[in-house]
Amino acid sequence: MTLYMVSSDEAVQDSVSITLEDFIEKGSPLRELRPHSANDARDRLATRDPPSAVILDKEAPGAEELLDWIAKKVPTVPVVLPIRAPELSHIAAVLRPRVWGWDMSADPDDPDAAEKRLAAVLGAAVAPPAKRRLLAVVRFTGPAAQLAVVENGISHFSGLPLLVDGWKRDKLNRLAQENLEPFREGRLRELKTLWAEFSERGIDVMNYLFDSAAADLIDRSDVDSLEFRFEIEDEALEARFGLPLELLCKELGTDFLCKLRPMARGIVKARKASPAVLAVGPAANANAPAAPRRPPPLVLFVDASMVVGQPAVFSAEGVVFPSFDELRETAAEQLNGLRDLEQKKRGSPELPLCRIEIFPPPGFKIGETKYAAALEERLRAPADKLPRPDILHFCGHGITTTHLKSRKTQLILPGTDGADPDPLPVDLLAGWLPEGLRLIFLAACQSVSPHAARALHHRLQCDLIGFRWTIDATKIADFTRNFYAAHLDDGLTTAAAYQRACESSYRDTHTAWVSAVALAAA
């Protein structure tokens, strides 16, 4: 078996030659390279001795026709497409089965990066077909954005420019500032109007970002999984966080992205050099010893559901006094969902799916000890004194207000006089949290904002689930139960468990899912 190459570009030819000489094992059939024209390659592909793979440069004469012919006549032959500067048309191309993109972009830190990527692509292309697990990464970089598509850890392409047109950027900027709150003045808006508005905004974001290529990213049925990650550079956070990315949809009446595909946001540092390609991880060693079994994750369940009253908080208009009702019933429902998982055991020896620690502990008397001080003491406790939690689940009230042109998110704790509200800024909470925390779940209204994303997710490099709008407290337990069942019982990632929770919780009268936001550490 040999390797065909259809390209008249000397840069492609040289890079292929270097790859075969320096990065492909000697004796491999891939080292036997045969250059062809598109017509000659098609004639030879029609024989009974097809090549190991075809490197097909789409800029070569007849390349587009050859790609279509291969898909119809010899679909089992792997095709590798050199991609110098990615275009929207490359999305549909690399989503075809047995078609791989070869990301030829330069890496200032590695002059051989393109050749190493080709070696990885060829190795994957000629291997027995594996389950196709794709990751689409949209990175917001200041006023613009870029797209990368990765399959099974290997980059098809990166740096595809999005938001090239100025009018699209302007439209997206205005959309990010819109208030899509399902509740207004404490009342759920008319549902027919609400759902139409969500669909219209989702269509707008889809079209402004991806144009017609968006449907290819969402509708593919020939991939085993396709996850979306929306990376927002820290400097663009305030301008981009308000985008309803979770509500992306193709047309009125279709499902939203958060129900269809695993997805999460992420806050990242701005790049100072040219876009780097996502790293390719080493192949798994089937003969390596099994990793030691980890103990069940410890969930610290922080119950602040007893809060009632009206704290003084700042907004752009001055001091306001929001009213909070107690949430003991929904707290009990959320806790019971976790306890059901704690009762489940698996493995040998059998271990529970999670362990639960409730804060405040039994015997704690609100009023005798300040709740916030006790919580700080628990979170700062040395590991040799108290076990460090893996998951922090907060159940209570939250509020995000504006003051001095900045949005501040606060969790509402019980005060020293009992259940009266005591606001806790999330950046203060972040300073208390221990190392090793991998997930924070803020089951509270308005608990996720640029402030919370930066203070908790970005600073601590942990996953974060929260709600950016006001939510119906009677519905939130359903969402949390579905999320933890997927995450702890089925072992799904935060992005996939979030999608499962949205899908399982979806009902026209159930708006908790539509306010939910997932942020996942890279």
Side-chain angles (χ1 to χ4, degrees):
M1 297 181 71
T2 58
L3 178 65
Y4 288 1
M5 178 175 64
V6 179
S7 177
S8 56
D9 186 331
E10 290 186 5
V12 172
Q13 296 171 358
D14 291 345
S15 189
V16 171
S17 297
I18 293 171
T19 301
L20 300 185
E21 180 67 27
D22 296 344
F23 299 102
I24 298 296
E25 184 179 357
K26 294 187 183 303
S28 169
L30 290 175
R31 291 172 65 91
E32 187 177 340
L33 178 66
R34 293 183 181 177
H36 292 293
S37 67
N39 289 335
D40 187 27
R42 181 169 59 185
D43 292 341
R44 292 178 177 274
L45 283 165
T47 68
R48 296 182 179 180
D49 187 24
S52 302
V54 178
I55 298 177
L56 178 57
D57 188 348
K58 291 187 71 176
E59 294 185 5
E64 292 283 358
E65 294 80 3
L66 178 58
L67 181 62
D68 291 335
W69 185 88
I70 292 174
K72 294 175 183 177
K73 301 296 185 180
V74 282
T76 58
V77 173
V79 176
V80 177
L81 303 177
I83 298 179
R84 307 165 184 79
E87 303 171 356
L88 285 171
S89 62
H90 286 125
I91 296 176
V94 302
L95 289 178
R96 293 185 183 189
R98 309 295 289 160
V99 174
W100 295 84
W102 167 25
D103 189 339
M104 296 186 67
S105 59
D107 185 340
D109 298 324
D110 186 354
D112 298 322
E115 288 74 27
K116 291 177 182 177
R117 286 187 222 117
L118 177 57
V121 167
L122 289 173
V126 301
K131 287 187 175 181
R132 302 188 68 197
R133 305 188 187 281
L134 277 79
L135 175 65
V137 182
V138 176
R139 185 169 183 131
F140 292 99
T141 57
Q146 296 177 337
L147 173 68
V149 174
V150 178
E151 181 172 344
N152 297 346
I154 297 175
S155 172
H156 281 301
F157 60 79
S158 60
L160 191 159
L162 304 175
L163 297 175
V164 176
D165 297 331
W167 71 270
K168 290 185 177 181
R169 291 197 297 270
D170 293 340
K171 291 275 191 180
L172 210 66
N173 290 341
R174 287 195 288 271
L175 188 58
Q177 305 306 316
E178 282 196 48
N179 181 7
L180 299 178
E181 278 265 8
F183 288 82
R184 296 281 172 84
E185 297 179 353
R187 303 180 67 177
L188 183 63
R189 295 160 58 195
E190 200 273 326
L191 291 174
K192 184 177 180 180
T193 302
L194 186 65
W195 251 245
E197 184 178 342
F198 287 156
S199 291
E200 290 170 0
R201 296 302 177 269
I203 293 169
D204 287 343
V205 178
M206 181 77 84
N207 291 335
Y208 298 154
L209 272 180
F210 300 115
D211 294 319
S212 59
D216 290 314
L217 281 171
I218 291 182
D219 286 346
R220 299 301 296 201
S221 59
D222 53 359
V223 298
D224 296 282
S225 68
L226 173 57
E227 179 176 322
F228 280 77
R229 179 174 173 83
F230 295 92
E231 295 184 345
I232 306 175
E233 291 189 352
D234 186 53
E235 295 176 355
L237 184 58
E238 297 291 341
R240 297 301 187 200
F241 193 84
L243 288 173
L245 300 168
E246 293 72 18
L247 302 181
L248 282 167
C249 59
K250 296 185 304 171
E251 56 189 23
L252 290 174
T254 59
D255 277 339
F256 300 109
L257 179 63
C258 65
K259 287 180 55 191
L260 295 172
R261 298 290 187 184
M263 65 166 292
R265 300 175 178 221
I267 313 305
V268 295
K269 292 182 179 180
R271 294 189 180 118
K272 296 182 179 180
S274 59
V277 179
L278 296 179
V280 177
N285 182 358
N287 298 318
R293 192 173 175 197
R294 299 177 60 183
L298 175 62
V299 182
L300 181 62
F301 189 93
V302 178
D303 184 359
S305 63
M306 67 291 293
V307 170
V308 293
Q310 293 181 297
V313 296
F314 290 100
S315 74
E317 292 75 31
V319 180
V320 295
F321 298 89
S323 179
F324 297 119
D325 299 322
E326 72 167 39
L327 301 172
R328 293 180 188 271
E329 185 174 342
T330 186
E333 292 176 356
Q334 292 176 52
L335 181 57
N336 288 338
L338 283 166
R339 279 179 167 155
D340 288 344
L341 294 173
E342 189 180 32
Q343 296 302 313
K344 283 191 173 185
K345 295 186 178 181
R346 188 170 295 160
S348 179
E350 287 191 337
L351 294 174
L353 298 181
C354 65
R355 298 166 291 153
I356 301 172
E357 178 188 339
I358 302 173
F359 182 91
F364 182 87
K365 293 183 179 180
I366 298 176
E368 292 184 2
T369 304
K370 189 174 182 181
Y371 187 103
L375 178 60
E376 179 184 6
E377 182 179 0
R378 169 61 188 94
L379 292 172
R380 290 184 181 274
D384 59 346
K385 299 292 184 182
L386 290 171
R388 289 180 171 173
D390 301 286
I391 299 173
L392 175 71
H393 183 96
F394 174 85
C395 175
H397 289 285
I399 187 169
T400 295
T401 60
T402 55
H403 181 54
L404 300 178
K405 297 184 180 180
S406 62
R407 298 174 65 82
K408 297 294 184 183
T409 298
Q410 302 173 88
L411 304 178
I412 311 302
L413 306 182
T416 53
D417 295 331
D420 61 304
D422 181 20
L424 172 67
V426 291
D427 47 356
L428 182 58
L429 170 66
W432 302 349
L433 295 174
E435 292 183 0
L437 194 69
R438 63 176 178 82
L439 171 64
I440 300 172
F441 195 126
L442 302 179
C445 295
Q446 301 179 14
S447 54
V448 169
S449 66
H451 179 213
R454 185 177 283 116
L456 299 174
H457 160 71
H458 187 42
R459 174 179 170 184
L460 302 174
Q461 287 299 295
C462 67
D463 296 353
L464 174 65
I465 301 286
F467 301 86
R468 53 180 174 170
W469 299 320
T470 302
I471 51 178
D472 182 351
T474 64
K475 308 296 185 183
I476 193 171
D478 186 39
F479 183 90
T480 61
R481 181 185 290 270
N482 288 324
F483 174 82
Y484 282 119
H487 187 51
L488 297 178
D489 196 355
D490 296 336
L492 299 185
T493 64
T494 295
Y498 163 76
Q499 181 258 333
R500 177 81 61 82
C502 290
E503 181 184 32
S504 302
S505 306
Y506 175 82
R507 286 186 295 279
D508 283 352
T509 56
H510 189 322
T511 56
W513 68 271
V514 84
S515 295
V517 174
L519 294 106

